[in-house]
Amino acid sequence: MTLDIVYLIIGLALILFGANWLTDGSAAIARRFGISDLIVGLTVVAFGTSAPELVISVMSAINGSAGLAIGNVVGSNLFNILVIIGVTAMIRPIAVDRSVMTNELPLVLLSSLALLAMGNSATLDATSSSVLTRVDGILLLLFFAIFMRYTFAQARSIRQPQDDPAADAAAQKPQIPMAKASLLVIAGLAGLIAGGDRFVAGASGIAAALGVSDALIGLTIVAMGTSLPELAASIVAAIKGRPGLAIGNVIGSCIFNAFFILGTAAVIRPLPFGSIGNVDLLALCGASLLFWIFARIYRVRTITRPEGILMAALYIAYTAWLIAMTIR
């Protein structure tokens, strides 16, 4: 137990330092190449901070722990949307680009609906159990390939506005040399991955010692631990006034988790949904829909502080329900 607590502390420290380095390095690269913060968040930051989920889900698939593989992704996406967006909005309201409303956010909802449909394959196909098959995995990977094609097309077309006063002010700041920016990105990713791994190891050890079920570990502790890099990166980006990087990080991570990570894990080995039921999948769909609604209404394309508080409160309520169902 003592060693697990040490792992928690070391993991958290690595995550915080890694998030700061990654944000600085990726922002410097974005400025140098004229690529928008949103695109950087959707790719480099999102994929790097999702590396812990990839490792956990793939290893779980290899070891036959399907519940942990699926629960990690479902729980991580719930945490990403409700907690990360919620906490980031509490720190600084998030302005959402029109293109995000019409292009990226619908993909997050689509990924959640796809998991809901696959999670009900037993009902739809009149079989004994719902399984994420290899064919399902290939379809998820194809969805991911379409997303990547679109993202790189956007990267070529979107540039920082040359007549934007904010862009002019950023351009006047001392720029980080490319070599140093690249090292910051690499060091940041390494810190995030290593920190997430140690945090999950510590949290899982504590949970196992307390006799908590695997389903609860996958949906909560492992999901929270592997999502800490996204949380840290998004909070640091919000504090530094880069909401595009923060929201791009969350959207990219959710799409990466659902399409690439689960697709890869299912191709390795078909994954029975087991105890991951409709309540969890519907909660994910509801969170995705709420994300889109809050970005669209109340204030034009802005997720406000009250909305952020509500999102975080909903996650607390969902977690409390999970715990209550587990110990009942």
Side-chain angles (χ1 to χ4, degrees), residues 76-112:
S76 292
N77 281 9
L78 273 168
F79 189 88
N80 285 347
I81 295 170
L82 295 179
V83 177
I84 296 178
I85 291 297
V87 171
T88 302
M90 289 183 214
I91 296 171
R92 179 171 294 185
I94 304 172
V96 182
D97 291 341
R98 186 179 298 275
S99 64
V100 174
M101 285 294 310
T102 57
N103 298 320
E104 283 83 22
L105 276 179
L107 279 175
V108 175
L109 182 57
L110 173 64
S111 69
S112 302

mmCIF file of all heavy atoms in Angstrom, residues 76-112:
data_model
loop_
_atom_site.group_PDB
_atom_site.id
_atom_site.type_symbol
_atom_site.label_atom_id
_atom_site.label_comp_id
_atom_site.label_asym_id
_atom_site.label_seq_id
_atom_site.Cartn_x
_atom_site.Cartn_y
_atom_site.Cartn_z
ATOM 1 N N SER A 76 -12.835 6.740 -19.663
ATOM 2 C CA SER A 76 -11.944 7.844 -20.020
ATOM 3 C C SER A 76 -12.683 8.919 -20.812
ATOM 4 O O SER A 76 -12.503 10.113 -20.577
ATOM 5 C CB SER A 76 -10.757 7.332 -20.837
ATOM 6 O OG SER A 76 -9.909 6.529 -20.036
ATOM 7 N N ASN A 77 -13.533 8.482 -21.758
ATOM 8 C CA ASN A 77 -14.272 9.470 -22.545
ATOM 9 C C ASN A 77 -15.285 10.226 -21.696
ATOM 10 O O ASN A 77 -15.495 11.429 -21.884
ATOM 11 C CB ASN A 77 -14.955 8.795 -23.729
ATOM 12 C CG ASN A 77 -13.992 8.531 -24.881
ATOM 13 O OD1 ASN A 77 -12.789 8.708 -24.737
ATOM 14 N ND2 ASN A 77 -14.506 8.100 -26.011
ATOM 15 N N LEU A 78 -15.917 9.527 -20.751
ATOM 16 C CA LEU A 78 -16.812 10.226 -19.823
ATOM 17 C C LEU A 78 -16.041 11.251 -18.995
ATOM 18 O O LEU A 78 -16.487 12.390 -18.804
ATOM 19 C CB LEU A 78 -17.488 9.210 -18.893
ATOM 20 C CG LEU A 78 -18.774 8.562 -19.399
ATOM 21 C CD1 LEU A 78 -19.156 7.387 -18.521
ATOM 22 C CD2 LEU A 78 -19.906 9.582 -19.432
ATOM 23 N N PHE A 79 -14.879 10.848 -18.509
ATOM 24 C CA PHE A 79 -14.044 11.761 -17.715
ATOM 25 C C PHE A 79 -13.582 12.936 -18.573
ATOM 26 O O PHE A 79 -13.591 14.092 -18.127
ATOM 27 C CB PHE A 79 -12.839 10.998 -17.166
ATOM 28 C CG PHE A 79 -12.022 11.768 -16.166
ATOM 29 C CD1 PHE A 79 -12.338 11.733 -14.823
ATOM 30 C CD2 PHE A 79 -10.934 12.521 -16.577
ATOM 31 C CE1 PHE A 79 -11.579 12.436 -13.882
ATOM 32 C CE2 PHE A 79 -10.178 13.237 -15.663
ATOM 33 C CZ PHE A 79 -10.497 13.196 -14.312
ATOM 34 N N ASN A 80 -13.172 12.654 -19.813
ATOM 35 C CA ASN A 80 -12.720 13.715 -20.712
ATOM 36 C C ASN A 80 -13.791 14.783 -20.903
ATOM 37 O O ASN A 80 -13.526 15.984 -20.796
ATOM 38 C CB ASN A 80 -12.351 13.133 -22.085
ATOM 39 C CG ASN A 80 -11.037 12.398 -22.073
ATOM 40 O OD1 ASN A 80 -10.260 12.489 -21.124
ATOM 41 N ND2 ASN A 80 -10.781 11.636 -23.123
ATOM 42 N N ILE A 81 -15.007 14.328 -21.201
ATOM 43 C CA ILE A 81 -16.072 15.272 -21.542
ATOM 44 C C ILE A 81 -16.580 16.007 -20.309
ATOM 45 O O ILE A 81 -16.647 17.247 -20.282
ATOM 46 C CB ILE A 81 -17.227 14.539 -22.244
ATOM 47 C CG1 ILE A 81 -16.752 13.993 -23.595
ATOM 48 C CG2 ILE A 81 -18.415 15.481 -22.444
ATOM 49 C CD1 ILE A 81 -17.747 13.053 -24.258
ATOM 50 N N LEU A 82 -16.954 15.255 -19.271
ATOM 51 C CA LEU A 82 -17.619 15.872 -18.128
ATOM 52 C C LEU A 82 -16.649 16.563 -17.173
ATOM 53 O O LEU A 82 -16.932 17.667 -16.685
ATOM 54 C CB LEU A 82 -18.431 14.825 -17.369
ATOM 55 C CG LEU A 82 -19.614 14.220 -18.140
ATOM 56 C CD1 LEU A 82 -20.320 13.170 -17.281
ATOM 57 C CD2 LEU A 82 -20.594 15.294 -18.582
ATOM 58 N N VAL A 83 -15.506 15.935 -16.898
ATOM 59 C CA VAL A 83 -14.581 16.513 -15.917
ATOM 60 C C VAL A 83 -13.602 17.486 -16.577
ATOM 61 O O VAL A 83 -13.456 18.623 -16.123
ATOM 62 C CB VAL A 83 -13.813 15.403 -15.174
ATOM 63 C CG1 VAL A 83 -12.793 16.017 -14.211
ATOM 64 C CG2 VAL A 83 -14.776 14.521 -14.405
ATOM 65 N N ILE A 84 -12.948 17.053 -17.645
ATOM 66 C CA ILE A 84 -11.916 17.913 -18.232
ATOM 67 C C ILE A 84 -12.532 19.172 -18.838
ATOM 68 O O ILE A 84 -12.085 20.291 -18.574
ATOM 69 C CB ILE A 84 -11.085 17.146 -19.273
ATOM 70 C CG1 ILE A 84 -10.319 16.009 -18.589
ATOM 71 C CG2 ILE A 84 -10.121 18.088 -19.991
ATOM 72 C CD1 ILE A 84 -9.491 15.159 -19.522
ATOM 73 N N ILE A 85 -13.569 18.999 -19.656
ATOM 74 C CA ILE A 85 -14.236 20.183 -20.211
ATOM 75 C C ILE A 85 -14.877 20.993 -19.097
ATOM 76 O O ILE A 85 -14.815 22.237 -19.090
ATOM 77 C CB ILE A 85 -15.289 19.768 -21.251
ATOM 78 C CG1 ILE A 85 -14.613 19.190 -22.497
ATOM 79 C CG2 ILE A 85 -16.148 20.972 -21.658
ATOM 80 C CD1 ILE A 85 -13.719 20.164 -23.240
ATOM 81 N N GLY A 86 -15.486 20.299 -18.113
ATOM 82 C CA GLY A 86 -16.120 21.013 -17.015
ATOM 83 C C GLY A 86 -15.144 21.835 -16.196
ATOM 84 O O GLY A 86 -15.359 23.026 -15.952
ATOM 85 N N VAL A 87 -14.032 21.217 -15.777
ATOM 86 C CA VAL A 87 -13.038 21.925 -14.962
ATOM 87 C C VAL A 87 -12.357 23.029 -15.779
ATOM 88 O O VAL A 87 -12.123 24.136 -15.267
ATOM 89 C CB VAL A 87 -11.989 20.930 -14.423
ATOM 90 C CG1 VAL A 87 -10.836 21.667 -13.757
ATOM 91 C CG2 VAL A 87 -12.633 19.966 -13.437
ATOM 92 N N THR A 88 -12.061 22.750 -17.045
ATOM 93 C CA THR A 88 -11.437 23.770 -17.891
ATOM 94 C C THR A 88 -12.354 24.978 -18.043
ATOM 95 O O THR A 88 -11.903 26.131 -17.981
ATOM 96 C CB THR A 88 -11.107 23.188 -19.277
ATOM 97 O OG1 THR A 88 -10.242 22.063 -19.121
ATOM 98 C CG2 THR A 88 -10.408 24.227 -20.145
ATOM 99 N N ALA A 89 -13.657 24.741 -18.226
ATOM 100 C CA ALA A 89 -14.616 25.841 -18.350
ATOM 101 C C ALA A 89 -14.742 26.622 -17.051
ATOM 102 O O ALA A 89 -14.995 27.838 -17.065
ATOM 103 C CB ALA A 89 -15.981 25.302 -18.773
ATOM 104 N N MET A 90 -14.573 25.951 -15.904
ATOM 105 C CA MET A 90 -14.591 26.671 -14.625
ATOM 106 C C MET A 90 -13.427 27.641 -14.526
ATOM 107 O O MET A 90 -13.560 28.750 -13.983
ATOM 108 C CB MET A 90 -14.517 25.664 -13.462
ATOM 109 C CG MET A 90 -15.748 24.827 -13.246
ATOM 110 S SD MET A 90 -15.513 23.771 -11.797
ATOM 111 C CE MET A 90 -16.428 22.322 -12.292
ATOM 112 N N ILE A 91 -12.282 27.218 -15.039
ATOM 113 C CA ILE A 91 -11.102 28.082 -14.993
ATOM 114 C C ILE A 91 -11.238 29.244 -15.975
ATOM 115 O O ILE A 91 -10.989 30.395 -15.641
ATOM 116 C CB ILE A 91 -9.837 27.273 -15.326
ATOM 117 C CG1 ILE A 91 -9.602 26.205 -14.254
ATOM 118 C CG2 ILE A 91 -8.610 28.174 -15.447
ATOM 119 C CD1 ILE A 91 -8.509 25.234 -14.594
ATOM 120 N N ARG A 92 -11.670 28.924 -17.181
ATOM 121 C CA ARG A 92 -11.844 29.940 -18.222
ATOM 122 C C ARG A 92 -12.880 29.440 -19.211
ATOM 123 O O ARG A 92 -12.696 28.369 -19.799
ATOM 124 C CB ARG A 92 -10.527 30.224 -18.938
ATOM 125 C CG ARG A 92 -10.650 31.251 -20.051
ATOM 126 C CD ARG A 92 -9.270 31.653 -20.578
ATOM 127 N NE ARG A 92 -8.515 32.366 -19.556
ATOM 128 C CZ ARG A 92 -7.313 32.910 -19.775
ATOM 129 N NH1 ARG A 92 -6.750 32.804 -20.957
ATOM 130 N NH2 ARG A 92 -6.690 33.535 -18.800
ATOM 131 N N PRO A 93 -13.998 30.175 -19.399
ATOM 132 C CA PRO A 93 -15.018 29.742 -20.367
ATOM 133 C C PRO A 93 -14.396 29.408 -21.721
ATOM 134 O O PRO A 93 -13.483 30.097 -22.181
ATOM 135 C CB PRO A 93 -15.942 30.958 -20.459
ATOM 136 C CG PRO A 93 -15.823 31.603 -19.112
ATOM 137 C CD PRO A 93 -14.379 31.424 -18.715
ATOM 138 N N ILE A 94 -14.890 28.342 -22.338
ATOM 139 C CA ILE A 94 -14.289 27.829 -23.563
ATOM 140 C C ILE A 94 -15.087 28.301 -24.767
ATOM 141 O O ILE A 94 -16.255 27.921 -24.947
ATOM 142 C CB ILE A 94 -14.240 26.296 -23.549
ATOM 143 C CG1 ILE A 94 -13.498 25.791 -22.308
ATOM 144 C CG2 ILE A 94 -13.587 25.762 -24.811
ATOM 145 C CD1 ILE A 94 -13.575 24.292 -22.134
ATOM 146 N N ALA A 95 -14.475 29.113 -25.607
ATOM 147 C CA ALA A 95 -15.095 29.507 -26.867
ATOM 148 C C ALA A 95 -14.875 28.386 -27.885
ATOM 149 O O ALA A 95 -13.771 27.882 -28.039
ATOM 150 C CB ALA A 95 -14.489 30.813 -27.373
ATOM 151 N N VAL A 96 -15.955 28.004 -28.566
ATOM 152 C CA VAL A 96 -15.911 26.886 -29.505
ATOM 153 C C VAL A 96 -16.017 27.418 -30.927
ATOM 154 O O VAL A 96 -16.973 28.137 -31.256
ATOM 155 C CB VAL A 96 -17.047 25.883 -29.228
ATOM 156 C CG1 VAL A 96 -16.959 24.694 -30.177
ATOM 157 C CG2 VAL A 96 -16.996 25.418 -27.773
ATOM 158 N N ASP A 97 -15.052 27.076 -31.773
ATOM 159 C CA ASP A 97 -15.079 27.498 -33.171
ATOM 160 C C ASP A 97 -16.282 26.895 -33.891
ATOM 161 O O ASP A 97 -16.736 25.801 -33.569
ATOM 162 C CB ASP A 97 -13.798 27.068 -33.894
ATOM 163 C CG ASP A 97 -12.579 27.828 -33.403
ATOM 164 O OD1 ASP A 97 -12.758 28.897 -32.792
ATOM 165 O OD2 ASP A 97 -11.452 27.337 -33.616
ATOM 166 N N ARG A 98 -16.765 27.635 -34.899
ATOM 167 C CA ARG A 98 -17.902 27.147 -35.675
ATOM 168 C C ARG A 98 -17.571 25.810 -36.350
ATOM 169 O O ARG A 98 -18.406 24.913 -36.437
ATOM 170 C CB ARG A 98 -18.299 28.176 -36.734
ATOM 171 C CG ARG A 98 -19.568 27.818 -37.501
ATOM 172 C CD ARG A 98 -19.903 28.894 -38.516
ATOM 173 N NE ARG A 98 -20.151 30.165 -37.865
ATOM 174 C CZ ARG A 98 -21.323 30.531 -37.359
ATOM 175 N NH1 ARG A 98 -22.340 29.674 -37.408
ATOM 176 N NH2 ARG A 98 -21.488 31.706 -36.802
ATOM 177 N N SER A 99 -16.331 25.657 -36.826
ATOM 178 C CA SER A 99 -15.946 24.414 -37.496
ATOM 179 C C SER A 99 -15.980 23.229 -36.538
ATOM 180 O O SER A 99 -16.307 22.103 -36.929
ATOM 181 C CB SER A 99 -14.542 24.547 -38.100
ATOM 182 O OG SER A 99 -13.573 24.735 -37.084
ATOM 183 N N VAL A 100 -15.653 23.480 -35.276
ATOM 184 C CA VAL A 100 -15.709 22.408 -34.270
ATOM 185 C C VAL A 100 -17.151 21.962 -34.063
ATOM 186 O O VAL A 100 -17.439 20.766 -33.931
ATOM 187 C CB VAL A 100 -15.097 22.881 -32.939
ATOM 188 C CG1 VAL A 100 -15.287 21.841 -31.850
ATOM 189 C CG2 VAL A 100 -13.622 23.193 -33.120
ATOM 190 N N MET A 101 -18.084 22.931 -34.043
ATOM 191 C CA MET A 101 -19.497 22.621 -33.864
ATOM 192 C C MET A 101 -20.017 21.719 -34.969
ATOM 193 O O MET A 101 -20.807 20.804 -34.734
ATOM 194 C CB MET A 101 -20.310 23.917 -33.855
ATOM 195 C CG MET A 101 -20.198 24.720 -32.582
ATOM 196 S SD MET A 101 -20.912 23.876 -31.175
ATOM 197 C CE MET A 101 -22.494 23.422 -31.825
ATOM 198 N N THR A 102 -19.594 21.984 -36.199
ATOM 199 C CA THR A 102 -20.159 21.276 -37.342
ATOM 200 C C THR A 102 -19.354 20.043 -37.769
ATOM 201 O O THR A 102 -19.886 19.176 -38.469
ATOM 202 C CB THR A 102 -20.278 22.226 -38.544
ATOM 203 O OG1 THR A 102 -18.989 22.767 -38.847
ATOM 204 C CG2 THR A 102 -21.230 23.365 -38.222
ATOM 205 N N ASN A 103 -18.094 19.952 -37.367
ATOM 206 C CA ASN A 103 -17.239 18.872 -37.855
ATOM 207 C C ASN A 103 -16.763 17.928 -36.754
ATOM 208 O O ASN A 103 -17.035 16.721 -36.796
ATOM 209 C CB ASN A 103 -16.018 19.457 -38.589
ATOM 210 C CG ASN A 103 -16.409 20.252 -39.806
ATOM 211 O OD1 ASN A 103 -17.310 19.868 -40.552
ATOM 212 N ND2 ASN A 103 -15.745 21.387 -40.032
ATOM 213 N N GLU A 104 -16.024 18.460 -35.755
ATOM 214 C CA GLU A 104 -15.406 17.579 -34.763
ATOM 215 C C GLU A 104 -16.386 17.054 -33.705
ATOM 216 O O GLU A 104 -16.382 15.856 -33.392
ATOM 217 C CB GLU A 104 -14.245 18.290 -34.064
ATOM 218 C CG GLU A 104 -12.983 18.372 -34.883
ATOM 219 C CD GLU A 104 -12.988 19.523 -35.869
ATOM 220 O OE1 GLU A 104 -13.752 20.491 -35.637
ATOM 221 O OE2 GLU A 104 -12.247 19.462 -36.860
ATOM 222 N N LEU A 105 -17.220 17.938 -33.132
ATOM 223 C CA LEU A 105 -18.134 17.496 -32.076
ATOM 224 C C LEU A 105 -19.113 16.409 -32.537
ATOM 225 O O LEU A 105 -19.374 15.458 -31.785
ATOM 226 C CB LEU A 105 -18.890 18.689 -31.493
ATOM 227 C CG LEU A 105 -18.155 19.467 -30.396
ATOM 228 C CD1 LEU A 105 -18.981 20.640 -29.914
ATOM 229 C CD2 LEU A 105 -17.813 18.557 -29.233
ATOM 230 N N PRO A 106 -19.670 16.495 -33.750
ATOM 231 C CA PRO A 106 -20.531 15.385 -34.201
ATOM 232 C C PRO A 106 -19.804 14.043 -34.254
ATOM 233 O O PRO A 106 -20.424 12.998 -34.046
ATOM 234 C CB PRO A 106 -20.967 15.838 -35.605
ATOM 235 C CG PRO A 106 -20.944 17.329 -35.541
ATOM 236 C CD PRO A 106 -19.752 17.641 -34.677
ATOM 237 N N LEU A 107 -18.485 14.064 -34.518
ATOM 238 C CA LEU A 107 -17.729 12.814 -34.529
ATOM 239 C C LEU A 107 -17.630 12.208 -33.128
ATOM 240 O O LEU A 107 -17.630 10.982 -32.971
ATOM 241 C CB LEU A 107 -16.335 13.041 -35.100
ATOM 242 C CG LEU A 107 -16.220 13.092 -36.621
ATOM 243 C CD1 LEU A 107 -14.794 13.435 -37.039
ATOM 244 C CD2 LEU A 107 -16.648 11.766 -37.240
ATOM 245 N N VAL A 108 -17.529 13.057 -32.109
ATOM 246 C CA VAL A 108 -17.517 12.561 -30.729
ATOM 247 C C VAL A 108 -18.850 11.871 -30.422
ATOM 248 O O VAL A 108 -18.875 10.770 -29.842
ATOM 249 C CB VAL A 108 -17.271 13.713 -29.738
ATOM 250 C CG1 VAL A 108 -17.386 13.217 -28.289
ATOM 251 C CG2 VAL A 108 -15.892 14.320 -29.961
ATOM 252 N N LEU A 109 -19.954 12.502 -30.823
ATOM 253 C CA LEU A 109 -21.270 11.898 -30.617
ATOM 254 C C LEU A 109 -21.417 10.612 -31.428
ATOM 255 O O LEU A 109 -21.961 9.618 -30.941
ATOM 256 C CB LEU A 109 -22.364 12.901 -30.991
ATOM 257 C CG LEU A 109 -23.811 12.446 -30.786
ATOM 258 C CD1 LEU A 109 -24.052 12.041 -29.341
ATOM 259 C CD2 LEU A 109 -24.778 13.557 -31.199
ATOM 260 N N LEU A 110 -20.911 10.624 -32.663
ATOM 261 C CA LEU A 110 -20.968 9.429 -33.501
ATOM 262 C C LEU A 110 -20.216 8.265 -32.867
ATOM 263 O O LEU A 110 -20.692 7.119 -32.877
ATOM 264 C CB LEU A 110 -20.385 9.730 -34.883
ATOM 265 C CG LEU A 110 -20.229 8.529 -35.834
ATOM 266 C CD1 LEU A 110 -21.597 7.941 -36.172
ATOM 267 C CD2 LEU A 110 -19.490 8.934 -37.105
ATOM 268 N N SER A 111 -19.038 8.537 -32.307
ATOM 269 C CA SER A 111 -18.258 7.469 -31.675
ATOM 270 C C SER A 111 -19.008 6.869 -30.494
ATOM 271 O O SER A 111 -18.978 5.654 -30.267
ATOM 272 C CB SER A 111 -16.891 8.004 -31.227
ATOM 273 O OG SER A 111 -17.012 8.914 -30.142
ATOM 274 N N SER A 112 -19.711 7.715 -29.733
ATOM 275 C CA SER A 112 -20.486 7.220 -28.583
ATOM 276 C C SER A 112 -21.668 6.380 -29.043
ATOM 277 O O SER A 112 -21.961 5.327 -28.464
ATOM 278 C CB SER A 112 -20.979 8.399 -27.742
ATOM 279 O OG SER A 112 -19.893 9.190 -27.288
#
